[in-house]
Amino acid sequence: MKRLSIIPLALAGAFLATPALAQYVKGNEAVRQAAGARQVETPPLLPSVNRTRPCPAEAGCHPGPWYMVETVEGLRECTEPTARPGTCRPSSYGHRKLSRLWIVKRGATWQWCQYPDLGSQCVDMHARPPANLPVSAVQ
């Protein structure tokens, strides 16, 4: 009987000991390898965002979903999709559950996706409402 109770604990420990790997969105055209170097493009600033004061990532003023953006520093959690300086922090994906949107580029279109998968619900960031309303998910 004791042997049976040890097996579930050992299996649970194996899953907890597995390190979480940094996530990315396969097919995100904003990230490219050229001449052996990683090149990353971030979404352009929108005129409406450019006029507002940024919410620093560590200030606690961000009420909505975190934007998961690939930057030159790697995957970051940002308070806005454009990843302005000071608005991003290192990704906690796999360690902390938060409401997240994934920022990706497909062709010339910037999109926000519900999951780190181009097959999930992705919408054009620059479309007119209601077509641009994203669907975030706690992950």
Side-chain angles (χ1 to χ4, degrees):
M1 288 300 213
K2 286 185 181 183
R3 188 180 305 163
L4 292 177
S5 62
I6 292 172
I7 292 172
L9 291 175
L11 291 174
F15 287 113
L16 292 175
T18 305
L21 300 174
Q23 183 65 36
Y24 66 96
V25 180
K26 185 177 181 181
N28 183 0
E29 296 175 23
V31 181
R32 292 187 290 299
Q33 291 288 338
R38 184 174 181 259
Q39 296 178 342
V40 181
E41 184 181 354
T42 54
L45 281 176
L46 300 172
S48 60
V49 171
N50 202 19
R51 291 188 300 255
T52 62
R53 181 181 302 162
C55 170
E58 303 301 333
C61 56
H62 182 63
W66 286 91
Y67 299 99
M68 304 303 292
V69 184
E70 282 284 348
T71 68
V72 252
E73 293 88 21
L75 182 65
R76 311 283 283 176
E77 294 172 349
C78 303
T79 59
E80 56 188 38
T82 55
R84 282 193 284 179
T87 64
C88 297
R89 65 185 184 192
S91 172
S92 66
Y93 183 77
H95 301 286
R96 190 190 314 172
K97 290 203 176 275
L98 298 171
S99 180
R100 292 182 161 89
L101 283 172
W102 298 79
I103 307 305
V104 299
K105 185 176 184 184
R106 196 183 303 185
T109 305
W110 285 97
Q111 298 180 330
W112 30 46
C113 296
Q114 183 178 24
Y115 295 104
D117 176 10
L118 289 175
S120 69
Q121 291 185 2
C122 297
V123 294
D124 184 348
M125 289 173 48
H126 303 293
R128 299 182 68 120
N132 72 340
L133 297 177
V135 180
S136 65
V138 175
Q139 318 165 35

